[in-house]
């Protein structure tokens, strides 16, 4: 290059090329790549111009340098602005694509619920807790003594046939009733005693309303002057809270070796309100639990003076209450863990 005219032309054409080519570029990454082809000190269209300085006649060097610098600055500026504009557009596109509509309804996570047995157990614990009962947790493996003998049911007593027992050996068994806990409590605690004892019990029994494993909640009160009236009063409160305020209680004579007198407690049918329906088998009453006044022999066996103290006890079948309350006709539904069934029951 020997004259400035030629240089001017060359620079003008570079400028023109840049202006047209730049329009074609759609993103900032493209600008970055393109900028290298122009500005690179070795291969770039503008960047390499300075290297040619050596070939320029001395008197033109200053002007050459000035013009090359000018176009360099111009190009720098053009690229910066194009880059900025594209980056802005890219951000806008990103904002648009990531836009969140905060007015959309939130995704709902399905909330689990407690097992009906647990719900009933907690309701019972609440009700009796509010009457001052404390919770005693017995053990599922018991000795024959605590499950039967101490409860006035010695070997060969016919009442043993009421409960088909799983024996673990001559001495140990799976408790057939939470009543086994009564004896432990009375052996270890002086009256006044007021406990409930929820837990699993086991009997070799299996049909639509019986399961080899089920749950009971025992209640035991021992103090001076406790009578059957106290039992009736407490159970009245309990059935009203569980089955509804207009539910009535009825005591029928029954037999348990460890209570005397013994009663079977019925509630007025909360479905038909006494008219008679399938649930109450047309009688207007539903049996809900067994109870009675603690047999003096049991108190004495635990070292409690039965001339001073008396007691009442009751045993509630938790599954039975759940089945009645929630209209479940087969006890197996409570043990199969089918969420289609269990999730319907959320009190
Ligand atoms: N343990 C008895 C049963 O399982 C119920 C019961 C408890 C009866 C307490 C009277 C007193 O059938």
């Amino acid at each position: 290059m020997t004259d400035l005219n030629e240089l001017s032309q060359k620079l003008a054409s570079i400028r023109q090329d840049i202006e047209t080519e730049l329009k074609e570029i759609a993103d900032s990454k493209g600008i970055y790549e393109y900028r290298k082809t122009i500005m690179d000190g070795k291969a770039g269209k503008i960047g390499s111009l300075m290297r040619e300085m050596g070939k320029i006649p001395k008197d033109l060097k200053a002007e050459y340098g000035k013009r090359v610098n000018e176009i360099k600055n111009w190009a720098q500026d053009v690229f910066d602005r194009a880059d900025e504009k594209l980056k802005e557009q890219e951000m806008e596109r990103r904002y648009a694509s990531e836009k969140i509509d905060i007015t959309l309804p939130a995704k709902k996570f399905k909330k689990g619920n407690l097992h009906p047995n647990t719900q009933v157990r907690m309701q019972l614990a609440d009700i009796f807790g509010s009457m001052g009962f404390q919770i005693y947790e017995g053990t599922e493996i018991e000795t024959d003594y605590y499950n039967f003998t101490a409860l006035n049911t010695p070997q060969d007593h016919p009442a043993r046939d009421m409960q088909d027992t799983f024996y673990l050996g001559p001495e140990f068994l799976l408790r057939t009733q939470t009543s086994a806990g009564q004896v432990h409590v009375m052996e270890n605690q002086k009256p006044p005693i007021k406990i409930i004892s929820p837990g699993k019990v086991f009997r070799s029994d299996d049909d639509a309303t019986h399961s080899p494993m089920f749950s009971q909640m025992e209640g035991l009160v021992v103090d001076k002057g406790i009578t059957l009236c106290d039992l009736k009063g407490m159970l009245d409160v309990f059935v009203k809270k569980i089955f509804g305020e207009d539910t009535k209680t009825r005591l029928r004579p029954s037999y348990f070796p460890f209570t005397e007198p013994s009663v079977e407690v019925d509630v007025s049918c909360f479905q038909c309100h006494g008219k008679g329906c399938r649930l109450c088998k047309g009688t207007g009453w539903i049996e809900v639990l067994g109870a009675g006044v603690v047999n003096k022999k049991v108190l004495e066996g635990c070292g409690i003076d039965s001339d001073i103290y008396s007691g009442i006890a009751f045993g509630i079948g938790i599954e039975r209450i759940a089945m009645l309350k929630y209209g479940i006709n087969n006890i197996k539904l409570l043990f199969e863990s089918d969420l289609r069934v269990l999730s319907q029951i959320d009190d």
Side-chain angles (χ1 to χ4, degrees):
M1 192 177 307
T2 46
D3 68 47
L4 288 172
N5 248 347
E6 202 184 322
L7 177 67
S8 292
Q9 269 174 19
K10 190 173 177 185
L11 295 184
S13 101
I14 291 179
R15 203 184 259 253
Q16 186 119 59
D17 285 352
I18 292 177
E19 274 168 348
T20 39
E21 283 163 6
L22 208 53
K23 285 197 192 115
E24 306 289 309
I25 299 174
D27 56 19
S28 56
K29 196 167 160 249
I31 298 272
Y32 175 78
E33 297 297 339
Y34 182 63
R35 188 196 281 249
K36 272 201 286 192
T37 68
I38 304 297
M39 307 303 265
D40 186 78
K42 261 191 195 162
K45 271 190 192 166
I46 293 177
S48 62
L49 288 178
M50 276 303 182
R51 290 160 66 98
E52 286 171 26
M53 194 68 123
K55 295 184 217 152
I56 306 295
K58 241 183 178 171
D59 54 336
L60 294 181
K61 268 194 201 309
E63 185 62 20
Y64 180 89
K66 191 176 142 222
R67 295 212 187 169
V68 170
N69 260 332
E70 258 169 27
I71 193 166
K72 216 173 152 182
N73 290 340
W74 169 83
Q76 205 82 269
D77 194 46
V78 166
F79 288 137
D80 284 349
R81 269 185 287 129
D83 185 54
E84 199 180 315
K85 197 168 141 208
L86 285 174
K87 278 199 172 125
E88 232 168 67
Q89 287 174 0
E90 279 161 20
M91 275 313 249
E92 268 162 30
R93 274 201 298 274
R94 205 176 135 189
Y95 286 147
S97 74
E98 292 178 3
K99 195 170 163 193
I100 298 169
D101 183 354
I102 56 164
T103 64
L104 281 176
K107 263 190 202 155
K108 284 207 178 109
F109 289 99
K110 212 176 157 302
K111 183 166 74 68
N113 58 292
L114 295 171
H115 191 279
N117 262 8
T118 311
Q119 293 181 44
V120 168
R121 194 186 64 228
M122 287 168 66
Q123 288 164 15
L124 294 182
D126 264 1
I127 295 169
F128 287 107
S130 73
M131 291 191 241
F133 282 77
Q134 293 191 322
I135 292 183
Y136 168 80
E137 303 236 18
T139 54
E140 289 167 12
I141 293 177
E142 266 297 357
T143 60
D144 185 276
Y145 176 79
Y146 284 100
N147 194 78
F148 288 125
T149 310
L151 290 167
N152 192 33
T153 323
Q155 285 291 341
D156 306 326
H157 193 291
R160 287 208 179 200
D161 293 344
M162 287 162 79
Q163 303 178 359
D164 274 327
T165 311
F166 291 111
Y167 280 93
L168 302 174
E171 192 188 353
F172 291 102
L173 45 76
L174 294 179
R175 68 174 171 193
T176 61
Q177 49 189 353
T178 45
S179 304
Q182 281 189 30
V183 184
H184 288 288
V185 174
M186 289 191 281
E187 277 179 351
N188 293 307
Q189 213 176 306
K190 295 265 154 295
I193 292 169
K194 202 170 182 186
I195 57 108
I196 47 172
S197 181
K200 292 191 188 103
V201 298
F202 307 85
R203 291 181 200 177
S204 176
D205 226 355
D206 203 3
D207 60 33
T209 52
H210 295 91
S211 153
M213 182 208 76
F214 60 105
S215 334
Q216 285 187 330
M217 186 178 283
E218 193 79 4
L220 174 71
V221 182
V222 183
D223 204 349
K224 289 176 186 159
I226 296 289
T227 70
L228 202 62
C229 286
D230 297 304
L231 177 75
K232 175 114 172 41
M234 269 184 288
L235 295 180
D236 271 347
V237 173
F238 146 67
V239 298
K240 280 187 186 357
K241 289 227 171 111
I242 286 282
F243 296 115
E245 279 305 315
D246 53 354
T247 315
K248 292 189 186 62
T249 343
R250 172 176 91 168
L251 304 186
R252 263 184 304 112
S254 183
Y255 174 77
F256 299 103
F258 40 92
T259 46
E260 180 58 38
S262 301
V263 293
E264 213 73 72
V265 180
D266 294 344
V267 294
S268 56
C269 182
F270 42 86
Q271 193 159 293
C272 66
H273 300 283
K275 283 191 215 91
C277 65
R278 271 180 62 184
L279 185 65
C280 60
K281 300 192 184 88
T283 64
W285 293 94
I286 300 169
E287 183 192 317
V288 289
L289 59 100
V293 173
V294 181
N295 195 314
K296 288 188 173 199
K297 282 193 202 163
V298 177
L299 292 179
E300 295 291 339
C302 298
I304 294 176
D305 187 340
S306 63
D307 288 334
I308 303 176
Y309 294 106
S310 56
I312 52 166
F314 53 87
I316 305 172
I318 299 210
E319 286 80 5
R320 177 151 177 81
I321 302 287
M323 288 170 78
L324 289 170
K325 192 167 170 177
Y326 304 122
I328 299 168
N329 58 9
N330 192 323
I331 195 167
K332 304 289 179 300
L333 292 173
L334 288 174
F335 297 117
E336 277 169 356
S337 302
D338 186 337
L339 288 181
R340 288 170 304 180
V341 177
L342 300 182
S343 62
Q344 291 178 44
I345 301 164
D346 197 2
D347 238 356

